[in-house]
Amino acid sequence: QVHLVESGGGLVQAGGSLRLSCAASGRTFSSYVMGWSRQAPGKEREFVAAISRSGSSTYYSDSAKGRFTISRDNAKNTLYLQMNSLKPEDTAVYYCNAGSSTATVTQAGYWGQGTQVTVSS
């Protein structure tokens, strides 16, 4: 069992940057594959990025690739998402996810309460 708490969201102008954080409880953070997903109003939740247990492998959606960077600090039980060159289309509630596979973590794993990201044009 893992408890996830996202933070770092807010209002930002197009072209700006934000860094999201996810604090995980427990002593087994390093045993989980981690990821980020997002949900815009009226849309289904979608995959954004995933990272392996050690942090050596990362995966991104086409929209996130080249702009977002996922990372983790296992010593601090924390997951990060650095978001650069933000676009209005990035506006959504962002969720932290924990699971067992990078292919399914954002769909079949645990998730937190989310943090709102709003990008103005």
Side-chain angles (χ1 to χ4, degrees):
Q1 188 72 40
V2 62
H3 184 235
L4 307 170
V5 180
E6 300 93 334
S7 63
L11 277 65
V12 65
Q13 198 169 33
S17 299
L18 284 174
R19 188 174 78 156
L20 306 184
S21 298
C22 171
S25 66
R27 301 175 63 189
T28 58
F29 177 73
S30 62
S31 71
Y32 290 99
V33 167
M34 301 296 295
W36 289 96
S37 59
R38 67 187 183 187
Q39 186 168 28
K43 302 288 186 178
E44 293 188 352
R45 189 164 59 89
E46 65 176 352
F47 167 80
V48 175
I51 188 167
S52 63
R53 292 172 177 83
S54 67
S56 61
S57 299
T58 57
Y59 307 87
Y60 299 94
S61 67
D62 289 340
S63 63
K65 195 173 300 180
R67 301 188 298 127
F68 295 1
T69 302
I70 187 171
S71 62
R72 65 191 296 166
D73 187 336
N74 288 344
K76 296 181 178 179
N77 286 3
T78 304
L79 176 74
Y80 303 98
L81 183 68
Q82 178 66 48
M83 305 187 294
N84 299 325
S85 302
L86 283 162
K87 306 174 182 179
E89 305 91 89
D90 296 317
T91 295
V93 176
Y94 283 70
Y95 298 96
C96 172
N97 307 106
S100 59
S101 170
T102 53
T104 61
V105 63
T106 62
Q107 296 174 311
Y110 300 99
W111 54 328
Q113 87 291 340
T115 185
Q116 176 71 50
V117 171
T118 303
V119 184
S120 62
S121 59

